[in-house]
Amino acid sequence: IVYFLFETGMLKKTPRTGYQFLGSGKESVAEHSFRTAIIGYILSLEEKLDSQKTTLMCLFHDLPEARTGDHNYVNKRYVSIDEDKAVEDLSKDIPFGQVIMDLAREFNHGETPEAQIARDADQIDLILELKEQQDLGNRYTAEWLHYAEKRLITECAKKLYKEILKTDSTEWWFKKKDELW
């Protein structure tokens, strides 16, 4: 279990690589997985699904990247990643390893309602990051947002997407009131 915990810590040091093409923004795989899990939890409650299963699926969905690194869509055109082997190897010696393997397979197949919500949560986290970059002036985010929207599956995620687009990412804290200054 201690080896597993050290390995999961690698996700804090593993950058998500797509931002190099966007030209702005950065985050680790661990940062992404954290907010994805929260989004999955919220969406699963809204859809009255198994929130524990969905949240764990979101939390573990990129766990293999501790071994494989994060590969963006350009990398994947040239590099083959054996994610199943990575998940199997990292979880084979821990008592709850089969649970992690099952969750990873379910997420990757995307057939159950929980997996669909988890996959949408994965995209919604990206959409939130892109919206922040758009609000900061990155003009390339519009096209990225267009394609991220196309990957959304559930109606609740599509509704959330529309709300994200019309919300300024700073509004939650910066209400442009004089007493802040």
Side-chain angles (χ1 to χ4, degrees), residues 2 4 6 12 17 26-27 40 42 50-51 62 64-65 72 78 85-86 92 102 128-129 157 174 178:
V2 173
F4 175 77
F6 278 123
K12 296 190 307 184
T17 61
K26 68 176 186 169
E27 71 179 336
I42 292 167
D50 183 339
S51 60
D62 280 338
E65 293 181 9
N72 59 62
Y78 306 101
K85 179 148 179 48
K92 67 182 174 191
D102 293 344
L128 287 163
E129 286 292 326
F174 186 60
D178 288 336

Side-chain angles (χ1 to χ4, degrees), residues 60-114:
F60 293 142
H61 82 284
D62 280 338
L63 195 55
E65 293 181 9
R67 291 179 180 234
T68 66
D70 178 63
H71 291 82
N72 59 62
Y73 80 100
V74 174
N75 300 147
K76 289 178 181 177
R77 291 170 59 192
Y78 306 101
V79 177
S80 296
I81 304 147
D82 193 343
E83 193 171 298
D84 287 337
K85 179 148 179 48
V87 171
E88 182 181 321
D89 287 349
L90 69 86
S91 60
K92 67 182 174 191
D93 294 327
I94 53 177
F96 47 89
Q98 189 61 50
V99 172
I100 292 173
M101 285 189 276
D102 293 344
L103 289 168
R105 283 188 192 109
E106 186 173 341
F107 178 88
N108 288 330
H109 289 131
E111 295 170 357
T112 65
E114 288 83 4

